[in-house]
Amino acid sequence: VAEASNGDLLMSGSRGRVTSPTTGVYDHVLIRTDSLGTVKWLRTYPTADVLNTFALLPLPDNGALVVVTTQHPLGSINFPVSLPTVIRVDSLGTVRWQRTYGQPYYTLRCITALSDGSYALAGNTLSGPPQWRGGAWVQRINLSGDTLRSRVLLASVTFYGVSEAPGGGLALVGDDYTDALMAMTDSLDRLQWRHNVASQLPPHGATFPFVRALRQPGQVLVGGYVPVPRTTPPTAVSYLGVWQAPAAPGGPAVPVWAQLRAMGLIDRNQLVPAGPGRLIVGTVDTESRSFDLLFTSLANVPAFYEPPLCRTPPYAVPLLTPVAGTNQFSFSDISLAGPQYAQLLLWRWDFGDGSPPYFGRTPPPHAFAALTPATAVRLTVTNNLGCTHTTAVYPFALPARAGQGRPAATLHPNPAGAGAAAVTLTVPGLRAQPPVAGVLLNSVGQVVWRGGWPVAALAQGAALPGAAALPPGVYALRLWPQEGPVTLRLVRE
């Protein structure tokens, strides 16, 4: 189960389907409900296509990334051959794309969004029969499903949970088929440390499907369960613990605190942050033959590390072009998505004249009924991390005198040689208005600086911060005064 951005619930599972009077099969389903549980739609994926669903990650456009295994063409229902697969669905459950990774018998079991706009998945590799040998597997993709990096880290290990850690690394949990373990990587997915927990827990093994990096450097919160041996029916006690990274390379991780409770099984989606210092724990009571679901509220939980998903937010850049001889404008969008791998998902245009907003990247030409200087066209963009930005443009606040056009902005010196201590931006003739926003982009569209200047400073010549430290290259400076957007080319030699 996962919560969508508008409060809906996304659920995956399976349901039986009768194929004859004596036989049947299970189909995998994806269901969307409102916040009260009323079903909005249900999509079915036959077992011949989808074997298992492991994880759901909602997207800001109310779609989702669904992590599954699909059937290899050489497999069958009686002898399935799995392929690790990610499916992107839209808000109606329609498949936008479906990508497979790795090789047959590999599995991806968990997914998390990262602050650079990409996604980390983790699972395991397997060679298939008869050896069934493999290792822990980490895969990074972008929103289009393209592989950014893939790495096998540990032999005979499966990862069940992943979380971004400070510095862009990953906190991971899983098991080595006998006992639970935890691990940490750096931002390039190189293993920093691993630790098996058998020495700190009862000697009958454990399972850890949940992990969150904590704000305290090197610490992780892990959750799962420890089976109780020789019990009928089988029972388990829940486990929560905070661990500190090893003090020396190759050393053991250090338990900070741990709780073993007779609350049953904790799975990866059964730990939910409920505000600062609080955690809701859902457990399956294995002592009850009905497998009741229990909920427990815990206080004084250490602060989770919250990845800076919006540290580099998107930047809305609307372009308005007047249609000669009319009160119409045509529109285009050159907005910036944010961090390196981010993509824009949502566009909202508000025209400021009482007409309904337009949702989409490029609205059709719009005729304005009122031509007042206060009429503002606002574009709001949202990227795949849920970060937003709004820019307002005043199409009828342009200078009225014939031939005056948009403001004449200059950069000096330009080109800026290696000895240039500073670069000065001058924009004369602007009307009184709030500080003018600007953004400096490098040759591949990455933001290297963003900020703003008071109108009075621009009239006299304002410094472009950090220009003296820029490496050689070609840059674009974009400004958004009320008089209309301005783009300048800066060459750093």
Side-chain angles (χ1 to χ4, degrees):
V1 179
E3 184 179 10
S5 58
N6 66 347
D8 286 354
L9 297 178
L10 290 171
M11 294 173 282
S12 65
S14 60
R15 67 175 181 178
R17 174 166 54 91
V18 175
T19 56
S20 76
T22 58
T23 62
V25 297
Y26 283 95
D27 291 331
H28 292 267
V29 296
L30 185 63
I31 304 171
R32 187 184 192 93
T33 75
D34 62 18
S35 59
L36 299 178
T38 303
V39 175
K40 289 186 171 182
W41 50 256
L42 181 151
R43 298 287 179 264
T44 301
Y45 305 92
T47 304
D49 300 325
V50 177
L51 298 174
N52 288 291
T53 303
F54 288 107
L56 287 171
L57 184 67
L59 296 172
D61 62 355
N62 291 321
L65 295 175
V66 189
V67 182
V68 303
T69 54
T70 53
Q71 176 71 276
H72 189 280
L74 297 180
S76 66
I77 292 178
N78 295 326
F79 187 79
V81 179
S82 62
L83 286 171
T85 303
V86 177
I87 302 172
R88 180 182 172 186
V89 298
D90 63 17
S91 59
L92 299 177
T94 304
V95 174
R96 294 276 300 273
W97 53 255
Q98 178 172 317
R99 304 284 290 269
T100 59
Y101 305 94
Q103 300 177 25
Y105 302 109
Y106 285 24
T107 301
L108 292 168
R109 297 177 178 270
C110 49
I111 184 172
T112 190
L114 303 176
S115 54
D116 64 0
S118 67
Y119 301 91
L121 301 105
N124 68 297
T125 67
L126 281 175
S127 60
Q131 293 87 5
W132 296 105
R133 295 175 180 172
W137 179 29
V138 173
Q139 175 94 1
R140 297 204 190 202
I141 64 173
N142 61 16
L143 185 60
S144 300
D146 304 320
T147 296
L148 304 176
R149 187 162 56 248
S150 184
R151 191 183 293 270
V152 178
L153 298 177
L154 298 166
S156 302
V157 168
T158 296
F159 285 144
Y160 295 105
V162 61
S163 167
E164 184 172 0
L170 301 177
L172 299 139
V173 287
D175 64 43
D176 60 3
Y177 307 107
T178 61
D179 188 49
L181 62 83
M182 63 196 77
M184 188 83 74
T185 71
D186 63 12
S187 60
L188 297 178
D189 298 336
R190 296 174 299 196
L191 187 67
Q192 299 297 290
W193 58 268
R194 64 165 287 178
H195 180 72
N196 285 69
V197 300
S199 60
Q200 283 85 8
L201 291 177
H204 42 266
T207 298
F208 287 173
F210 177 86
V211 63
R212 283 291 296 269
L214 299 182
R215 192 176 300 168
Q216 182 70 24
Q219 288 192 357
V220 294
L221 172 71
V222 298
Y225 52 90
V226 178
V228 179
R230 296 181 296 277
T231 55
T232 304
T235 60
V237 292
S238 67
Y239 176 87
L240 280 177
V242 171
W243 293 74
Q244 177 71 47
V254 180
V256 179
W257 61 256
Q259 293 184 352
L260 283 167
R261 297 190 176 198
M263 296 192 306
L265 307 180
I266 300 177
D267 206 344
R268 67 173 67 89
N269 296 321
Q270 293 172 219
L271 288 166
V272 181
R278 301 194 65 83
L279 192 67
I280 300 296
V281 183
T283 56
V284 177
D285 180 12
T286 59
E287 295 183 2
S288 168
R289 291 187 180 273
S290 61
F291 296 98
D292 293 334
L293 182 61
L294 309 175
F295 294 94
T296 304
S297 177
L298 302 181
N300 301 319
V301 177
F304 289 165
Y305 170 70
E306 298 297 339
L309 300 181
C310 297
R311 177 175 55 194
T312 305
Y315 210 90
V317 186
L319 295 182
L320 280 63
T321 304
V323 179
T326 73
N327 62 343
Q328 286 188 340
F329 279 78
S330 61
F331 305 89
S332 57
D333 164 69
I334 56 171
S335 299
L336 309 175
Q340 182 177 5
Y341 299 112
Q343 296 183 29
L344 293 177
L345 287 184
L346 299 173
W347 294 261
R348 175 183 172 128
W349 297 80
D350 291 286
F351 300 106
D353 60 355
S355 60
Y358 177 85
F359 297 92
R361 183 164 192 172
T362 307
H366 184 79
F368 291 85
L371 311 181
T372 67
T375 300
V377 176
R378 288 180 167 83
L379 171 62
T380 300
V381 296
T382 304
N383 67 14
N384 61 302
L385 300 177
C387 311
T388 65
H389 181 258
T390 300
T391 292
V393 177
Y394 297 81
F396 305 111
L398 297 175
R401 295 200 311 271
Q404 183 170 341
R406 293 185 178 179
T410 59
L411 287 169
H412 180 79
N414 190 16
V423 174
T424 300
L425 169 65
T426 304
V427 190
L430 297 179
R431 69 187 73 237
Q433 58 188 279
V436 175
V439 60
L440 185 66
L441 311 173
N442 63 18
S443 59
V444 295
Q446 296 172 324
V447 177
V448 297
W449 178 85
R450 69 174 74 238
W453 301 268
V455 171
L458 289 176
Q460 300 172 4
L464 181 61
L470 292 174
V474 179
Y475 299 84
L477 176 65
R478 291 174 178 165
L479 312 174
W480 289 274
Q482 291 182 357
E483 286 77 2
V486 175
T487 299
L488 295 171
R489 183 172 181 265
L490 171 64
V491 178
R492 184 72 184 177
E493 297 179 337

